[in-house]
Amino acid sequence: FFFQAEDGIRDAQESRGLGDVYKRQIQGMGFNAIWISPVIANTNKGYHGYHGKDWYQINSKFGSEQDLKDLIQACHEKDIWVMFDVVANHVGYVKEDFSDSSPFNKSEHFHPQCQINPEDFGKNQWKIENCRLANLPDLDQDNQQVRQELKKWIQWLVTNFNVDGLRVDTAPHVPKIFWKEFTEAAGVFTIGEVFDGRFDYVSGYIGNLSSVMNYP
């Protein structure tokens, strides 16, 4: 379940009204948490949230930064936990000089361009971690500026919005050790998307992330 309004949330009262809706509809089905699609500002065609452009700006579809805070507070008041979906592997389709990406706006913030091909999955982990998925510019977590900025950003996101957990996108496309540092920086529960059918491969990410999604 995710929330992304067409015109944003208009005020705190509306946010609390949505909290009442969530309590009736979500808790009524036996759930006690919601999972929200990525909230950062995206490139033009990134309606889904996975094509980040400005990591410290909130997608206007969620209203203002305060609107989103009010929504989360309203959920907490109804005993509903909130999980954010986050992406730390790539940015959206930005200019090739990366000048319209923030804060990752230099070529050294990214791996050299190469493409992940369908036949690479399950056979070439180096390409999975270092090349582009769907031609999305691939962040280089071995670059210390990128590494520290991602950890700084996730600390800001969690503390600023008081979220309870994180669903981590494209986990196999980033070295495992980074996810351990990322989870420690976040300070909340993390569950990784390891989209693979091999039990031994998927389970290898547990410990670096709090958990993984049950794809096998």
Side-chain angles (χ1 to χ4, degrees):
F1 184 91
F2 70 93
F3 174 80
Q4 190 176 63
E6 282 302 314
D7 58 352
I9 306 167
R10 284 180 286 277
D11 53 36
Q13 183 176 0
E14 183 175 343
S15 293
R16 282 167 174 74
L18 285 167
D20 289 330
V21 171
Y22 288 166
K23 184 173 181 66
R24 293 194 305 271
Q25 296 186 358
I26 303 303
Q27 288 188 327
M29 292 187 289
F31 301 113
N32 62 0
I34 60 172
W35 163 17
I36 298 178
S37 53
V39 301
I40 66 171
N42 268 225
T43 54
N44 289 338
K45 296 183 179 179
Y47 64 92
H48 39 58
Y50 297 94
H51 291 175
K53 180 177 181 179
D54 189 330
W55 295 60
Y56 289 96
Q57 181 179 338
I58 298 304
N59 187 332
S60 61
K61 296 293 186 180
F62 291 98
S64 68
E65 184 173 318
Q66 188 60 50
D67 291 331
L68 187 55
K69 291 179 181 179
D70 290 339
L71 174 62
I72 295 167
Q73 182 180 343
C75 288
H76 286 162
E77 289 172 357
K78 306 299 180 183
D79 297 321
I80 298 171
W81 293 352
V82 179
M83 174 179 284
F84 276 3
D85 204 321
V86 295
V87 184
N89 172 64
H90 58 264
V91 302
Y93 296 117
V94 295
K95 295 177 181 178
E96 282 303 318
D97 66 358
F98 309 109
S99 60
D100 55 344
S101 172
S102 178
F104 308 110
N105 56 10
K106 298 178 181 178
S107 59
E108 57 262 34
H109 295 159
F110 300 86
H111 289 121
Q113 186 170 353
C114 57
Q115 301 297 327
I116 299 172
N117 300 312
E119 61 269 21
D120 295 325
F121 291 96
K123 296 180 181 179
N124 193 330
Q125 185 63 29
W126 185 90
K127 288 190 71 175
I128 298 301
E129 293 180 1
N130 291 277
C131 295
R132 292 185 174 192
L133 177 66
N135 202 33
L136 292 161
D138 197 70
L139 287 166
D140 182 2
Q141 290 79 16
D142 288 332
N143 177 294
Q144 286 304 307
Q145 185 177 353
V146 173
R147 197 179 197 91
Q148 296 306 318
E149 187 63 48
L150 285 170
K151 291 189 289 184
K152 173 187 172 184
W153 167 72
I154 201 61
Q155 287 178 327
W156 169 80
L157 193 72
V158 169
T159 57
N160 194 42
F161 293 97
N162 193 27
V163 294
D164 305 294
L166 304 169
R167 183 267 191 186
V168 178
D169 185 67
T170 51
H173 297 270
V174 176
K176 295 175 184 176
I177 187 61
F178 173 76
W179 291 132
K180 185 175 180 63
E181 296 178 22
F182 188 82
T183 296
E184 290 172 351
V188 294
F189 173 80
T190 57
I191 182 167
E193 178 208 30
V194 185
F195 190 51
D196 194 284
R198 296 168 292 168
F199 282 96
D200 56 343
Y201 183 83
V202 174
S203 64
Y205 288 84
I206 299 174
N208 299 289
L209 295 159
S210 308
S211 183
V212 292
M213 301 187 79
N214 186 23
Y215 285 114

